[in-house]
Amino acid sequence: MTRRRSSHSRPTVTLATVAEAVGVSRMTVSNAYNRPDQLSPELRERVFAVAEELGYSGPNPVARTLSRGETGSIGLVLDYPLTTAFSDGATVAFLHGVAAGAEARGLGLSLVPRIEGRHAALVQSALVDGFVLYCVPEDDPRMDAVRARGLPFVGVDFDPARDLARVNIDDRGAARAAARHLAALGHRRFGVVLPYATYGPTGADAEARATHHVERERLAGWREGLEAAGVDWSTVPVASSSGTGVETGRLAAAELLDRAARPTAVIALSDALAMGVVESARERGISVPHQLSVTGFDDIPEAALSDPPLTTIRQPHHLKGSEAVRLLLEGDAAQSVVLPTELVVRASTSPAP
């Protein structure tokens, strides 16, 4: 049975409908929304009044994008789901910096997360004028999708590349400083805690298998710092577990702390992992820092509030985000920015027992 359209259904109101009702051209109505300087205030208000009366809400944003060639928004491509991004202190601080940079320039922000099976499709369909890519591997299919769009893009925490503007910190130098700090305290038995459970059993294995710039550089920095103190990197045990947070660090640390010859110092890829190491030590009655020194990386707000306060590497997350937006809008494809870091020594490290 065919349903008959109700006689009370309102016809679709379009830009042309408004133009006819006002007695002006369609271009005039379009200018009222998109180029207000082209109309007198009186005419613009009359267009809006008629549009409201007719129930016209304005131009379709997709159509407006196609006609103007710009969206007024930038896309932030993340290497993990939004639920992970919003639960990670370092990423949240970075997001705040990107948002501040966009807001200062009157731009919107679209988040493009990692969703299994839709990685490239989300990039291809994003209504944006350019991309900021955060910790995305170079061989990721989303890189190809971004390049295919022909829009400007900036990488954050990326390997140097001639055709990629990027914002980095000196991850290797910062990691080397943390390792030297522990070595100077007399530590010679070390363990490393990483996320994701995809690494080998030793530092050398993990460095060979790492796929992200940040992980490769920090592992290399720890190696350089420890080898300078006479530590054999190929014998340093590495533990990891699925995920990236505190619980990941707690589970990974258990593997190190239950060893017969447990380490006297554990180096973690992030503060969240390091706080999990401290939890794992507490569960086993191991005193931090008197029996075990622990270092993190990032200096998220929780690091200074943990028990004990965490020795870590401070990096400028907010500035990293705002600089990425600046480079996207003002920079060129060969430009790069390297931001400073600082070793922050707190109560989670002390001389080796």
Side-chain angles (χ1 to χ4, degrees), residues 312-347:
T312 186
I313 297 293
R314 176 177 297 156
Q315 64 163 309
H317 303 285
H318 189 279
L319 182 60
K320 186 185 281 187
S322 60
E323 278 293 282
V325 175
R326 183 189 67 79
L327 271 192
L328 180 66
L329 301 177
E330 303 173 8
D332 59 61
Q335 190 171 359
S336 65
V337 173
V338 179
L339 300 174
T341 61
E342 177 187 358
L343 173 65
V344 180
V345 178
R346 298 193 179 104

Side-chain angles (χ1 to χ4, degrees), residues 252-331:
E255 181 182 331
L256 300 175
L257 301 181
D258 290 341
R259 297 167 66 97
R262 71 170 185 249
T264 64
V266 172
I267 305 170
L269 187 78
S270 70
D271 289 342
L273 293 174
M275 288 187 285
V277 174
V278 174
E279 273 193 23
S280 190
R282 185 177 294 117
E283 291 171 355
R284 288 160 174 75
I286 300 171
S287 172
V288 176
H290 304 297
Q291 294 173 289
L292 178 72
S293 288
V294 180
T295 64
F297 203 112
D298 289 328
D299 198 26
I300 61 176
E302 294 84 353
L305 303 174
S306 65
D307 181 22
L310 195 63
T311 293
T312 186
I313 297 293
R314 176 177 297 156
Q315 64 163 309
H317 303 285
H318 189 279
L319 182 60
K320 186 185 281 187
S322 60
E323 278 293 282
V325 175
R326 183 189 67 79
L327 271 192
L328 180 66
L329 301 177
E330 303 173 8

Side-chain angles (χ1 to χ4, degrees), residues 1-5:
M1 179 178 178
T2 304
R3 295 185 67 179
R4 298 179 60 186
R5 183 173 177 176

Side-chain angles (χ1 to χ4, degrees), residues 39-232:
L39 278 67
S40 68
E42 294 78 15
L43 178 55
R44 189 164 181 256
E45 288 303 317
R46 184 153 61 92
V47 169
F48 287 159
V50 171
E52 183 177 1
E53 181 181 342
L54 294 174
Y56 178 66
S57 59
N60 182 289
V62 175
R64 190 188 318 182
T65 296
L66 293 174
S67 64
R68 295 172 58 189
E70 61 182 36
T71 69
S73 183
I74 60 177
L76 175 58
V77 182
L78 301 164
D79 195 39
Y80 27 68
L82 289 180
T83 49
T84 301
F86 288 128
S87 63
D88 179 73
T91 304
V92 168
F94 171 75
L95 281 168
H96 194 276
V98 174
E103 188 175 281
R105 293 162 175 81
L107 297 173
L109 179 62
S110 296
L111 301 182
V112 186
R114 174 179 284 279
I115 298 178
E116 287 301 324
R118 300 200 62 212
H119 302 339
L122 289 175
V123 170
Q124 292 162 351
S125 63
L127 288 173
V128 298
D129 298 318
F131 292 98
V132 172
L133 299 104
Y134 184 51
C135 297
V136 177
E138 276 286 342
D139 60 354
D140 193 289
R142 290 172 299 170
M143 284 296 301
D144 295 331
V146 167
R147 294 181 190 277
R149 289 287 301 270
L151 298 173
F153 60 94
V154 170
V156 178
D157 292 340
F158 267 65
D159 285 328
R162 287 185 301 174
D163 65 340
L164 176 63
R166 59 198 177 277
V167 179
N168 286 355
I169 60 170
D170 180 8
D171 284 282
R172 182 178 299 208
R176 186 168 54 243
R180 285 177 173 173
H181 164 68
L182 292 168
L185 292 171
H187 293 279
R188 293 299 181 270
R189 293 205 312 272
F190 291 87
V192 172
V193 167
L194 300 174
Y196 301 125
T198 56
Y199 301 90
T202 71
D205 294 318
E207 191 175 351
R209 297 178 184 178
T211 57
H212 288 68
H213 167 77
V214 165
E215 294 155 359
R216 283 196 301 269
E217 288 297 290
R218 292 182 192 178
L219 284 161
W222 295 330
R223 170 176 50 78
E224 292 171 0
L226 297 185
E227 287 182 341
V231 177
D232 184 351

Side-chain angles (χ1 to χ4, degrees), residues 26-40:
R26 284 180 292 179
M27 180 61 72
T28 298
V29 176
S30 176
N31 285 341
Y33 287 93
N34 300 317
R35 303 177 64 192
D37 58 304
Q38 302 295 307
L39 278 67
S40 68

